[in-house]
Amino acid sequence: MVKRFNDVPYHTFSFWTDMTVVCPKCGKAGTVHFNPDSGKAQFQCKSCYAQQEAVPGGSDAFEVTAQCTSTGKYFRAFLPENSIHGPKAKVACPYCKEIVTGDVDTSIRQHMVFQDIRHAEDPYFHYPFYFKASYRGKLIWAFNREHLQYLIDYLSADLRTVQPDFYQTYRTMRSQSDMLPAFMKTAKNRESIVKLLLKLQWEIF
């Protein structure tokens, strides 16, 4: 029987997702939550009850929608508010890095934290992600258990697609899998990576 998987919208799991991290005091799993209304990030460990709060650096940003002239794909990006000077803005295509012009939507505002999470650390306190491993020298990680399950379901599927009304429902041409690095989606690596992710899933809080 063919195992089918319908992908979810781009940024379903992102900076604003609750992150499961390693508690710096007890080494067990804690949670980092960012509240966009207050602009504050909070860390809490249910094992040792450690808590911490931070006001991360960053700024408000507006959404830019564009179509890459090379790949033909539509994508969304967020640019800092102070870099927006009109209804159009130049952004880099996430697929090929070509610079294209997109439409600015000032009705969609996000608080952006401009930190790199490719090192498997949360961008607010820089605590290491709880669910992380190395595959052939490359980091694999998940924000939390829900994100981990998403990765397992996506990579272990025989057929990966989106629901028929995906664009009409979510107003985007991009799905969450567009954020995954190419080595994870390569057919020869998928089975081994799924085994690694399943091992992470067995981790007990």
Side-chain angles (χ1 to χ4, degrees):
M1 184 177 179
V2 175
K3 186 177 180 181
R4 186 187 184 99
F5 178 79
N6 281 333
D7 212 341
V8 294
Y10 186 69
H11 277 317
T12 297
F13 302 102
S14 68
F15 284 107
W16 303 281
T17 300
D18 283 358
M19 304 176 192
T20 305
V21 299
V22 178
C23 175
K25 289 190 175 181
C26 69
K28 295 186 179 181
T31 301
V32 172
H33 171 76
F34 177 70
N35 186 330
D37 295 326
S38 66
K40 295 180 180 179
Q42 295 177 321
F43 164 75
Q44 185 174 25
C45 177
K46 292 184 178 179
S47 297
C48 69
Y49 304 105
Q51 295 186 43
Q52 191 172 354
E53 188 174 86
V55 180
S59 63
D60 285 344
F62 291 125
E63 183 182 270
V64 180
T65 304
Q67 181 181 20
C68 180
T69 54
S70 294
T71 66
K73 294 183 178 181
Y74 288 91
F75 64 91
R76 295 188 306 164
F78 285 93
L79 291 181
E81 183 178 11
N82 57 15
S83 69
I84 301 294
H85 304 291
K88 301 285 185 180
K90 293 186 179 300
V91 290
C93 171
Y95 303 100
C96 68
K97 306 306 179 184
E98 179 183 352
I99 303 299
V100 297
T101 300
D103 298 315
V104 177
D105 186 349
T106 55
S107 68
I108 301 179
R109 184 192 297 265
Q110 293 276 13
H111 183 80
M112 297 293 291
V113 178
F114 298 101
Q115 295 284 349
D116 194 345
I117 58 175
R118 286 180 296 177
H119 300 298
E121 296 179 346
D122 82 87
Y124 312 108
F125 305 97
H126 305 290
Y127 295 157
F129 286 155
Y130 190 80
F131 299 111
K132 71 173 182 177
S134 177
Y135 178 76
R136 296 182 178 178
K138 297 181 179 180
L139 275 175
I140 294 176
W141 49 263
F143 287 115
N144 50 37
R145 281 196 180 275
E146 290 75 23
H147 186 210
L148 182 61
Q149 186 63 57
Y150 163 84
L151 295 175
I152 293 170
D153 292 342
Y154 174 81
L155 295 174
S156 61
D158 300 309
L159 180 62
R160 302 165 190 82
T161 184
V162 295
Q163 63 189 52
D165 59 345
F166 183 84
Y167 174 72
Q168 291 79 5
T169 301
Y170 301 112
R171 312 304 296 175
T172 178
M173 296 296 290
R174 298 191 69 189
S175 59
Q176 182 67 37
S177 61
D178 290 328
M179 299 184 70
L180 297 179
F183 81 90
M184 288 185 68
K185 295 188 282 188
T186 302
K188 64 179 182 180
N189 294 335
R190 287 199 297 264
E191 184 176 353
S192 297
I193 291 176
V194 168
K195 290 180 180 178
L196 189 60
L197 294 173
L198 286 171
K199 186 176 180 180
L200 287 179
Q201 196 177 44
W202 296 333
E203 293 286 343
I204 299 176
F205 281 39

